[in-house]
Coordinates of all heavy atoms in Angstrom, one line a residue:
K342 N 64.4 -33.2 11.7 CA 65.8 -33.1 11.1 C 66.8 -33.4 12.2 O 68.0 -34.0 11.9 CB 66.0 -31.8 10.4 CG 67.2 -31.7 9.6 CD 67.3 -30.4 8.9 CE 68.7 -30.3 8.0 NZ 68.7 -29.0 7.3
A343 N 66.8 -32.7 13.4 CA 67.7 -33.0 14.4 C 67.6 -34.3 15.2 O 68.4 -34.6 15.9 CB 67.6 -31.8 15.4
S344 N 66.6 -35.1 14.8 CA 66.5 -36.5 15.3 C 66.3 -36.4 16.9 O 66.8 -37.3 17.5 CB 67.7 -37.3 15.0 OG 67.8 -37.4 13.6
L345 N 65.7 -35.3 17.4 CA 65.5 -35.2 18.8 C 64.0 -35.5 19.2 O 63.7 -35.4 20.3 CB 65.8 -33.8 19.2 CG 67.3 -33.4 19.1 CD1 67.5 -32.0 19.3 CD2 68.2 -34.3 19.8
Q346 N 63.2 -35.9 18.1 CA 61.8 -36.0 18.3 C 61.5 -37.4 19.1 O 61.8 -38.4 18.7 CB 61.0 -35.9 17.0 CG 59.5 -35.9 17.3 CD 59.0 -35.5 15.8 OE1 59.7 -35.4 14.9 NE2 57.6 -35.6 15.8
Q347 N 60.8 -37.3 20.2 CA 60.4 -38.5 21.1 C 58.9 -38.7 21.0 O 58.2 -37.8 20.3 CB 60.8 -38.2 22.5 CG 62.3 -37.9 22.8 CD 63.3 -39.1 22.3 OE1 62.7 -40.3 22.5 NE2 64.3 -38.8 21.7
K348 N 58.5 -39.7 21.4 CA 57.0 -40.0 21.4 C 56.1 -38.9 22.0 O 55.2 -38.5 21.4 CB 56.7 -41.3 22.1 CG 57.2 -42.6 21.2 CD 56.8 -43.9 21.9 CE 57.2 -45.0 21.1 NZ 56.9 -46.4 21.7
W349 N 56.5 -38.4 23.1 CA 55.8 -37.3 23.8 C 55.7 -36.1 22.9 O 54.8 -35.4 22.9 CB 56.2 -37.0 25.1 CG 57.6 -36.4 25.3 CD1 58.7 -37.0 25.3 CD2 57.8 -35.1 25.3 NE1 59.8 -36.1 25.3 CE2 59.3 -34.8 25.3 CE3 57.0 -33.9 25.2 CZ2 59.8 -33.6 25.3 CZ3 57.6 -32.7 25.2 CH2 58.9 -32.5 25.3
E350 N 56.9 -35.8 22.2 CA 56.9 -34.6 21.3 C 56.0 -34.9 20.2 O 55.3 -34.0 19.7 CB 58.4 -34.4 20.8 CG 59.4 -33.9 22.0 CD 60.6 -33.9 21.6 OE1 61.1 -34.8 20.8 OE2 61.4 -32.9 21.9
E351 N 56.0 -36.1 19.6 CA 55.1 -36.4 18.5 C 53.6 -36.2 18.7 O 52.8 -35.7 18.1 CB 55.4 -37.8 18.0 CG 56.7 -38.0 17.3 CD 56.9 -39.5 17.0 OE1 56.0 -40.2 17.2 OE2 58.0 -39.7 16.3
A352 N 53.3 -36.6 20.1 CA 52.0 -36.5 20.5 C 51.6 -35.0 20.6 O 50.5 -34.6 20.4 CB 51.8 -37.2 21.8
S353 N 52.5 -34.3 21.2 CA 52.2 -32.8 21.3 C 52.0 -32.1 20.0 O 51.1 -31.3 19.9 CB 53.6 -32.3 22.0 OG 53.5 -30.8 22.1
F354 N 52.8 -32.4 19.0 CA 52.7 -31.7 17.8 C 51.4 -32.2 17.2 O 50.7 -31.4 16.7 CB 53.8 -32.2 16.8 CG 55.1 -31.3 16.9 CD1 56.2 -32.1 17.3 CD2 55.0 -30.0 16.7 CE1 57.5 -31.2 17.6 CE2 56.2 -29.3 16.8 CZ 57.5 -29.8 17.3
S355 N 51.1 -33.5 17.3 CA 49.8 -33.9 16.8 C 48.6 -33.3 17.4 O 47.6 -32.9 16.6 CB 49.7 -35.4 16.9 OG 48.5 -35.9 16.5
T356 N 48.7 -33.1 18.7 CA 47.5 -32.5 19.4 C 47.4 -30.9 18.9 O 46.3 -30.5 18.7 CB 47.9 -32.5 20.9 OG1 47.9 -33.8 21.3 CG2 46.7 -31.7 21.6
R357 N 48.6 -30.3 18.7 CA 48.5 -28.8 18.4 C 48.0 -28.7 16.9 O 47.2 -27.9 16.6 CB 50.0 -28.2 18.5 CG 50.3 -28.0 20.0 CD 51.7 -27.9 20.1 NE 52.2 -26.7 19.5 CZ 53.6 -26.4 19.5 NH1 54.5 -27.3 19.8 NH2 54.0 -25.2 18.9
F358 N 48.4 -29.7 15.9 CA 47.9 -29.5 14.7 C 46.4 -29.8 14.6 O 45.6 -29.2 13.9 CB 48.6 -30.8 13.8 CG 49.9 -30.3 13.2 CD1 51.0 -31.1 13.4 CD2 50.0 -29.2 12.5 CE1 52.1 -30.7 12.9 CE2 51.2 -28.9 11.9 CZ 52.3 -29.6 12.1
K359 N 45.9 -30.8 15.5 CA 44.4 -31.1 15.6 C 43.7 -29.9 16.2 O 42.5 -29.7 15.6 CB 44.2 -32.4 16.4 CG 44.6 -33.6 15.6 CD 44.5 -34.9 16.5 CE 44.8 -36.2 15.8 NZ 44.7 -37.3 16.7
E360 N 44.3 -29.2 17.1 CA 43.6 -28.0 17.6 C 43.4 -27.0 16.5 O 42.3 -26.5 16.5 CB 44.3 -27.4 18.8 CG 44.4 -28.2 20.1 CD 45.2 -27.6 21.0 OE1 46.0 -26.7 20.7 OE2 45.3 -28.2 22.2
I361 N 44.5 -26.8 15.7 CA 44.3 -25.7 14.6 C 43.2 -26.2 13.6 O 42.5 -25.5 13.1 CB 45.7 -25.4 13.9 CG1 46.6 -25.0 14.9 CG2 45.5 -24.5 12.7 CD1 48.0 -24.8 14.3
E362 N 43.3 -27.5 13.2 CA 42.4 -28.1 12.3 C 40.8 -27.9 12.7 O 40.0 -27.5 12.0 CB 42.7 -29.6 11.9 CG 43.9 -29.7 11.2 CD 44.2 -31.2 11.0 OE1 43.5 -32.0 11.4 OE2 45.3 -31.5 10.3
Y363 N 40.7 -28.1 14.1 CA 39.4 -28.0 14.6 C 39.0 -26.5 14.6 O 37.8 -26.2 14.3 CB 39.5 -28.5 16.2 CG 38.0 -28.3 16.8 CD1 37.0 -29.2 16.5 CD2 37.9 -27.2 17.7 CE1 35.8 -28.9 17.1 CE2 36.6 -27.1 18.4 CZ 35.5 -28.0 18.0 OH 34.4 -27.9 18.7
R364 N 39.8 -25.6 14.8 CA 39.5 -24.2 14.8 C 39.1 -23.8 13.4 O 38.2 -23.0 13.1 CB 40.7 -23.3 15.3 CG 40.8 -23.2 16.8 CD 42.1 -22.9 17.3 NE 42.8 -21.8 16.6 CZ 44.0 -21.5 16.7 NH1 44.9 -22.2 17.4 NH2 44.5 -20.4 16.1
L365 N 39.7 -24.3 12.4 CA 39.4 -24.0 11.0 C 38.0 -24.7 10.6 O 37.3 -24.1 9.9 CB 40.5 -24.6 10.0 CG 41.8 -23.8 9.9 CD1 42.6 -24.4 8.8 CD2 41.5 -22.5 9.7
K366 N 37.8 -25.8 11.2 CA 36.5 -26.5 10.9 C 35.3 -25.6 11.4 O 34.3 -25.4 10.8 CB 36.4 -27.9 11.6 CG 35.1 -28.7 11.3 CD 35.3 -30.1 12.1 CE 34.0 -30.8 11.7 NZ 34.0 -32.1 12.3
M367 N 35.6 -25.0 12.8 CA 34.5 -24.2 13.3 C 34.4 -22.8 12.5 O 33.3 -22.3 12.3 CB 34.9 -23.9 14.7 CG 34.8 -25.1 15.7 SD 33.2 -25.8 15.8 CE 33.3 -27.2 14.7
Q368 N 35.5 -22.4 12.0 CA 35.5 -21.2 11.2 C 34.8 -21.4 9.9 O 34.0 -20.5 9.4 CB 36.9 -20.7 10.9 CG 36.9 -19.4 10.3 CD 38.3 -18.8 10.2 OE1 39.3 -19.5 10.2 NE2 38.5 -17.4 10.2
R369 N 34.9 -22.5 9.4 CA 34.1 -22.9 8.0 C 32.7 -22.8 8.2 O 31.8 -22.3 7.5 CB 34.6 -24.2 7.5 CG 35.8 -24.3 6.8 CD 36.1 -25.7 6.3 NE 35.0 -26.2 5.5 CZ 34.7 -27.5 5.4 NH1 35.4 -28.4 6.0 NH2 33.7 -27.9 4.6
K370 N 32.2 -23.3 9.5 CA 30.8 -23.2 9.8 C 30.3 -21.8 10.0 O 29.3 -21.5 9.5 CB 30.4 -24.0 11.1 CG 30.7 -25.4 11.0 CD 30.3 -26.2 12.2 CE 30.5 -27.7 12.0 NZ 30.1 -28.4 13.3
R371 N 31.2 -20.9 10.7 CA 30.9 -19.5 10.8 C 30.8 -18.8 9.4 O 29.9 -18.0 9.1 CB 31.8 -18.8 11.7 CG 31.8 -19.4 13.1 CD 32.5 -18.3 14.1 NE 33.9 -18.1 13.7 CZ 34.8 -18.9 14.1 NH1 34.7 -20.0 14.9 NH2 36.1 -18.6 13.7
M372 N 31.7 -19.2 8.5 CA 31.7 -18.6 7.2 C 30.5 -19.0 6.4 O 30.0 -18.2 5.6 CB 33.0 -19.0 6.4 CG 34.2 -18.3 6.8 SD 34.1 -16.6 6.5 CE 33.7 -16.6 4.7
R373 N 30.0 -20.3 6.6 CA 28.7 -20.6 5.8 C 27.7 -19.7 6.2 O 26.9 -19.3 5.5 CB 28.4 -22.1 6.1 CG 29.2 -23.0 5.2 CD 28.6 -24.4 5.2 NE 28.7 -25.0 6.5 CZ 29.7 -25.9 6.8 NH1 30.7 -26.1 6.1 NH2 29.6 -26.5 8.0
L374 N 27.5 -19.4 7.6 CA 26.5 -18.5 8.0 C 26.8 -17.0 7.5 O 25.7 -16.5 7.1 CB 26.5 -18.5 9.6 CG 26.0 -19.7 10.3 CD1 26.2 -19.5 11.8 CD2 24.6 -20.2 10.0
L375 N 27.9 -16.6 7.5 CA 28.2 -15.2 6.9 C 27.9 -15.2 5.4 O 27.3 -14.2 4.9 CB 29.7 -14.9 7.2 CG 30.0 -14.3 8.5 CD1 31.6 -14.1 8.6 CD2 29.3 -13.0 8.8
M376 N 28.2 -16.3 4.7 CA 27.9 -16.3 3.2 C 26.3 -16.3 2.9 O 25.9 -15.6 2.1 CB 28.6 -17.5 2.6 CG 30.0 -17.3 2.5 SD 30.9 -18.7 1.7 CE 30.4 -18.4 -0.1
N377 N 25.6 -17.0 3.8 CA 24.2 -16.9 3.7 C 23.5 -15.7 4.0 O 22.8 -15.0 3.3 CB 23.6 -18.0 4.7 CG 23.7 -19.4 4.3 OD1 23.9 -19.7 3.1 ND2 23.7 -20.3 5.2
Q378 N 24.2 -14.9 4.9 CA 23.8 -13.6 5.2 C 24.2 -12.6 4.1 O 23.4 -11.6 3.7 CB 24.4 -13.0 6.6 CG 23.9 -13.7 7.8 CD 24.7 -13.4 9.1 OE1 25.3 -12.4 9.1 NE2 24.6 -14.1 10.1
A379 N 25.4 -12.8 3.5 CA 25.7 -12.0 2.3 C 24.8 -12.2 1.2 O 24.6 -11.1 0.6 CB 27.2 -12.3 2.0
R380 N 24.4 -13.4 0.9 CA 23.5 -13.6 -0.3 C 22.2 -13.1 0.1 O 21.6 -12.5 -0.8 CB 23.3 -15.2 -0.3 CG 24.5 -15.9 -1.1 CD 24.2 -17.2 -1.6 NE 24.1 -18.2 -0.4 CZ 25.1 -18.8 0.0 NH1 26.2 -18.9 -0.6 NH2 25.1 -19.7 1.0

């Protein structure tokens, strides 16, 4: 909104978003194991 975003900032945001998405992906795998144990 402030029109201050530069290419390096875009890359930084993208990297941080991907890091969170990767953490969720790993958490989904752990959750599958937990659900199997719960069953």
Side-chain angles (χ1 to χ4, degrees):
K342 186 176 181 180
S344 301
L345 297 175
Q346 195 171 349
Q347 302 297 323
K348 288 185 178 180
W349 68 270
E350 291 175 318
E351 293 177 356
S353 175
F354 278 117
S355 177
T356 300
R357 291 161 66 190
F358 276 125
K359 288 179 179 178
E360 286 175 354
I361 297 175
E362 290 176 359
Y363 179 77
R364 281 156 50 191
L365 285 185
K366 183 178 180 180
M367 293 299 101
Q368 190 173 26
R369 279 181 55 206
K370 292 183 178 180
R371 295 196 301 272
M372 279 301 302
R373 280 197 291 268
L374 293 175
L375 277 174
M376 290 183 70
N377 288 335
Q378 293 176 17
R380 281 192 289 268

